[in-house]
Amino acid sequence: GTAATIAGRAPLAFGAESEGIPSTLARLLTADGPTSVERTEFPLTHLGVAWTEGAGPRVRLRTVEGWQPWQAVTGCSAGRDGGVGAGRGGLLVADGALGYEIADLVGSVQVGELNLVDGPRRLLQIVGELTATLAGLPLRYRSRAGWGADEDLRFAESGAELWPAEYFPVQTLTVHHTATRNDDPDPAATVRAIYHDHTVVRGFGDIGYHLLIDQRGVIYEGRSSGADPVPVFGGTATDGRLQMSNGAHVVGFNAGNVGIALLGDFRSAAPSTAAIDSLVRVIRVLTAACRLDPTGTTAYVNPISGATATV
């Protein structure tokens, strides 16, 4: 009952992306305190900020209309098991910023300047949706190629993979929100921004989430799971359970824990009905495939470190 298959679907109508996806324009900087003022080399769509010390910096953006109000960086404590990569980080929507100032710096801060829409367009082999069947249930999703993942980011100049996949039976699922904008006009670009932020700015080597869901209910493949084209998983355990590719979404508690992220900021607003419907569908498929009770309790044990939690 845990066999997984995959099938192609006709491409969806995602505007100009059906003709190609823009290459990411990016610059990675290190800022040292207490403040740092930078002028960008290209207009920004996003700004990634990652740090290991302190409560987090404040940022103000400079646009053609001048300096904008200060805003705190909403820091997420995601990370790989073992402490690889920056301890906390956040992604800001920059909307054409030409410069920025970062204040309240403690130690060195990694800053990633990103433009996800204006780079040269590149054609990809797969643009559209696929359907994976897990435990007899279909799950439609956009593959990494479909949202424009630049797979070169996952490899060092030597050709070595920065974060090779490790596989573990699934014990639990964790649902996040990305604290990015609601009513996102280009969710695929936001996924590419999160990917670059996690992979390069925060130093994980890949995106930390296994699946992401936008406000229209579109599901995106996250963390690379190896040669097997089915998202999240790669092979089966000796007892027949599907094994997930280890992610980086709950630091210290990743192995055996599938991470699902809703695109948007839901501290003061609710997700869309379409997003919730897709989330329920994802949980239904994953719990069936992984033999989990979605209303039950799990005594989680990290198979790498031995860390425990009752969830």
Side-chain angles (χ1 to χ4, degrees), residues 106-118:
V106 178
S108 295
V109 173
Q110 290 285 97
V111 182
E113 301 174 358
L114 300 174
N115 182 311
L116 281 301
V117 299
D118 294 326

Side-chain angles (χ1 to χ4, degrees), residues 19 43 46 71 74 107 124 133 143 148-149 154 160 172 175 192 200 202 204 215 221 231 269 283 292 300:
E19 301 174 0
H46 298 81
Q71 55 183 311
T74 302
L124 297 175
T133 302
S143 68
R154 297 193 296 110
T172 188
V175 179
R192 294 195 298 274
V200 178
R202 301 193 64 179
F204 300 162
Q215 73 270 14
E221 178 183 18
I283 292 173
L292 301 178
Y300 169 87

Side-chain angles (χ1 to χ4, degrees), residues 9 103 305:
R9 293 280 182 173
S305 67

Side-chain angles (χ1 to χ4, degrees), residues 237-280:
T238 55
D239 62 2
R241 288 185 297 167
L242 290 173
Q243 296 195 107
M244 51 156 279
S245 175
N246 201 12
H249 56 99
V250 181
V251 62
F253 297 89
N254 289 299
N257 183 2
V258 176
I260 308 160
L262 298 179
L263 297 183
D265 188 340
F266 305 118
R267 290 172 292 180
S268 58
S272 68
T273 299
I276 291 294
D277 288 346
S278 286
L279 176 62
V280 171

Side-chain angles (χ1 to χ4, degrees), residues 204-256:
F204 300 162
D206 196 358
I207 192 168
Y209 307 120
H210 294 91
L211 297 170
L212 303 96
I213 302 172
D214 71 19
Q215 73 270 14
R216 298 173 297 176
V218 177
I219 300 165
Y220 300 82
E221 178 183 18
R223 167 76 167 125
S224 174
S225 57
D228 184 342
V230 177
V232 182
F233 302 106
T236 57
T238 55
D239 62 2
R241 288 185 297 167
L242 290 173
Q243 296 195 107
M244 51 156 279
S245 175
N246 201 12
H249 56 99
V250 181
V251 62
F253 297 89
N254 289 299

